[in-house]
Amino acid sequence: MWAYQYHFRISVEVCAKLALEAIGFTGNPDVVLVGFKSAGEHEFDVCVDPEDGPYSPDDFDQVRRRALELYDSHPERDMFHSVPHVHEERDLELRDSMRAKALEEAFEAMPRERERAHFSSGSVCVGDYEVHTLISIDKAALHKVPKITTEERDRFHVHMSLVHAVIREILKRSIRVLYIPGSGSGYLPDSNDEIVRSATEAMIRSILYCAGFWFGGENHLLMSGLSALPYEGRPGAGRLVIAKQDDPAIEVFLRLKHPVKMHNVTAVRKLLEASGSQSDLLSDGEIVYGLGVVKPEYDASSETVFSVSFTARGVWEFSHASEVLLTVRDGIPSLPTRVLDEVYLEDLASRLFPEADQGALREAAQAAGKHRHGAMLIISSDAVGEAERLSPQSWSIEPARLTSQLLSQLTDMDGAMLVDPKGQCHAIGVILDGTAHGRGDPARGSRFNNAIRYLDSERPSAIVVVYSSDGVINILPQLHPRIEKQIVVDAVDRYLMVASEDSLNAKECNEAWDAVKSIRFYLSSGQCKALNRARVRVDEWEARNRKLRMIKTDLQPDSDMNDSYWL
């Protein structure tokens, strides 16, 4: 399509990887360029980069036909714009967006792509081809991201999550780069911080469409300003609910006769002091109009009411129906970290404590999460013995199943809570001991490192849930998940197969190698040796045929691997 398409694709891929990592998302992004011939005499009507597979032009034979079907059935197909050139531009934009949608469908229909989510940009004419940039990410990772379900409101696109917003921002910037003559040979010039900030602005603006406010482009800056502004020396705290004044889900307790503009940050900050456990500050996005609450019968599926919680100086969270969608700390947006991985906690408890009361442990962990300055929960197989052993630096109590409210209250004191696998508490204010083994993290606080030292010492089997004051949650020990042995066998067999083919496909070989690397913890000594031998042949082929190649290290079996990791 053009001389530097490979360099451009790699630059977008690197940009996507770094920007998504910056918000705390790891979804293995991949980028493909697909161009449809619009002029000239060329061998292929469709061109694809990477050129060495696993995609071929034949995979996209039906995209144009499907795009026409989508265009003909679209509700805006017959919309008329009175200005002729605007009408023509909107029609071309609709046709192009339908081809992008058809392209996404084509990828999703491929068996090899069924575990990926795909996002396509509109096209840019580069040379004789109309080029779409497509980013794909791991579908399972995207499924875990907090999001809303609304994709469009009143014909306006809505970014369902911060991940969606970042990907769309990168695609938008990739289009802009291709429009500039000669820029297709370079890299996206934008920093990760700039991309994430713009994506956050776009996300909040689009989600506020759902609340009936159409001018929310600067609301994220207003929220950061509110969270940073102290009131009589106190950091910001409270909750702002954003909803239309006539939304039936809102009960107004106190209505201001003269509403306050949201841009009046000082006044809004003072009013925020009036919010509390009994009422929230109410805004329609443009003005603050009173105090009230969201009614219990609010239909969350309508997605018309959102909230902003100010949790500390410079920290705020954007939420819907008690689910945090976005956290901003000192102006830096990210996915929320205050999410307890209940699935991993349950899996870990079932591995270490087969007779555990999963419901009681989950309830205790959730209660510990309602802390004010960090907390720690210890689940020990010998809670009785550990309570006695640690009693000089903790308070042993008569074993009891404490209520969630009392457990949350006890997190206000220093030290951890010690419970047994049935959820009964045996000690409070526990200070952990242990010997340093070089496995801590100097960037983390004392709770995390004390937990590491404790678990590394010769103690009874235990789980430690660490809630740091900065919102990070760790469930220790961090064990590799249990997986089916056949998954490993299939990954090994696939690499051995693609590496032994007469005509090697570099992309397939690299993808297969990445697959076995991702599960290298589970590999046996024999599997490592077979994979390393097969890789030597691929390395030799790449040395002869490719100017640039990745140097790969040998796989080694992990000494911690045992049969307990198999499902």
Side-chain angles (χ1 to χ4, degrees), residues 400-535:
R401 175 84 175 269
L402 305 182
T403 64
S404 296
Q405 292 79 6
L406 183 53
L407 281 169
S408 298
Q409 181 179 323
L410 291 171
T411 62
D412 287 341
M413 68 184 299
D414 289 335
M417 294 177 291
L418 176 66
V419 302
D420 62 27
K422 297 295 184 181
Q424 287 200 317
C425 187
H426 291 257
I428 60 175
V430 176
I431 305 299
L432 293 179
D433 60 2
T435 304
H437 289 276
R439 290 177 46 165
D441 183 352
R444 299 296 306 277
S446 60
R447 289 187 185 87
F448 178 84
N449 285 292
N450 285 344
I452 292 290
R453 286 194 291 270
Y454 176 77
L455 292 171
D456 280 350
S457 304
E458 295 182 3
R459 304 301 179 207
S461 298
I463 298 172
V464 182
V465 184
V466 182
Y467 291 89
S468 299
S469 57
D470 59 3
V472 177
I473 303 172
N474 295 100
I475 302 175
L476 304 171
Q478 275 292 328
L479 302 182
H480 290 273
R482 292 180 290 182
I483 67 173
E484 296 178 3
K485 184 179 290 188
Q486 192 61 42
I487 292 175
V488 177
V489 172
D490 290 345
V492 172
D493 288 347
R494 180 177 176 236
Y495 184 78
L496 296 179
M497 180 187 69
V498 298
S500 64
E501 292 178 350
D502 293 336
S503 178
L504 290 181
N505 183 302
K507 183 172 177 62
E508 285 190 354
C509 288
N510 287 333
E511 287 180 344
W513 183 258
D514 288 342
V516 294
K517 270 206 314 182
S518 70
I519 54 171
R520 58 185 176 273
F521 172 79
Y522 306 93
L523 297 173
S524 67
S525 177
Q527 288 171 326
C528 288
K529 290 178 181 177
L531 290 166
N532 291 332
R533 285 195 301 268
R535 198 203 72 247

Side-chain angles (χ1 to χ4, degrees), residues 1-2 32-40 42 44-48 63-64 67 92 95-97 99-100 103 120-133 175 178-179:
M1 294 179 284
W2 81 98
V32 180
L33 306 179
V34 181
F36 296 88
K37 187 175 70 174
S38 59
H42 300 281
F44 299 105
D45 284 337
V46 180
C47 277
V48 186
V63 167
R64 286 190 176 96
L92 290 174
R95 290 178 182 274
D96 192 59
S97 65
R99 187 169 62 188
L103 190 57
S120 176
S121 73
S123 70
V124 179
C125 190
V126 184
D128 292 336
Y129 285 87
E130 294 173 344
V131 181
H132 294 264
T133 303
I175 288 176
L178 288 180
Y179 267 123

Side-chain angles (χ1 to χ4, degrees), residues 181-251:
S183 294
S185 62
Y187 293 88
L188 270 67
D190 311 301
S191 69
N192 299 326
D193 290 343
E194 183 181 350
I195 290 171
V196 171
R197 281 195 295 268
S198 295
T200 302
E201 175 186 337
M203 172 192 170
I204 292 179
R205 179 177 63 247
S206 70
I207 287 182
L208 290 185
Y209 295 160
C210 300
F213 183 57
W214 305 98
F215 308 100
E218 295 185 357
N219 273 44
H220 71 298
L221 297 177
L222 292 174
M223 302 310 166
S224 292
L226 281 171
S227 66
L229 187 65
Y231 179 74
E232 295 185 351
R234 296 192 299 274
R239 195 167 81 132
L240 177 73
V241 169
I242 302 176
K244 295 173 68 174
Q245 297 192 45
D246 58 354
D247 194 307
I250 299 299
E251 183 176 0

Side-chain angles (χ1 to χ4, degrees), residues 302-482:
S302 67
E303 298 183 335
T304 60
V305 178
F306 299 88
S307 65
V308 179
S309 298
F310 300 92
T311 60
R313 181 77 175 265
V315 182
W316 57 278
E317 297 173 337
F318 187 75
S319 307
H320 174 259
S322 300
E323 181 177 42
V324 180
L325 303 174
L326 165 74
T327 298
V328 178
R329 184 179 301 276
D330 296 327
I332 301 174
S334 66
L335 293 172
T337 56
R338 297 175 182 270
V339 178
L340 178 69
D341 190 344
E342 296 179 4
V343 174
Y344 179 69
L345 177 62
E346 181 176 346
D347 177 70
L348 191 57
S350 68
R351 295 160 75 169
L352 300 181
F353 319 124
E355 304 301 323
D357 184 335
Q358 296 282 4
L361 297 183
R362 182 170 58 252
E363 182 180 335
Q366 290 171 339
K370 299 175 182 177
H371 58 87
R372 292 193 299 180
H373 49 65
M376 190 155 58
L377 175 72
I378 308 161
I379 307 167
S380 174
S381 61
D382 184 19
V384 175
E386 286 298 275
E388 181 65 26
R389 188 181 68 81
L390 296 169
S391 59
Q393 48 194 15
S394 66
W395 285 278
S396 298
I397 65 172
E398 293 292 332
R401 175 84 175 269
L402 305 182
T403 64
S404 296
Q405 292 79 6
L406 183 53
L407 281 169
S408 298
Q409 181 179 323
L410 291 171
T411 62
D412 287 341
M413 68 184 299
D414 289 335
M417 294 177 291
L418 176 66
V419 302
D420 62 27
K422 297 295 184 181
Q424 287 200 317
C425 187
H426 291 257
I428 60 175
V430 176
I431 305 299
L432 293 179
D433 60 2
T435 304
H437 289 276
R439 290 177 46 165
D441 183 352
R444 299 296 306 277
S446 60
R447 289 187 185 87
F448 178 84
N449 285 292
N450 285 344
I452 292 290
R453 286 194 291 270
Y454 176 77
L455 292 171
D456 280 350
S457 304
E458 295 182 3
R459 304 301 179 207
S461 298
I463 298 172
V464 182
V465 184
V466 182
Y467 291 89
S468 299
S469 57
D470 59 3
V472 177
I473 303 172
N474 295 100
I475 302 175
L476 304 171
Q478 275 292 328
L479 302 182
H480 290 273
R482 292 180 290 182

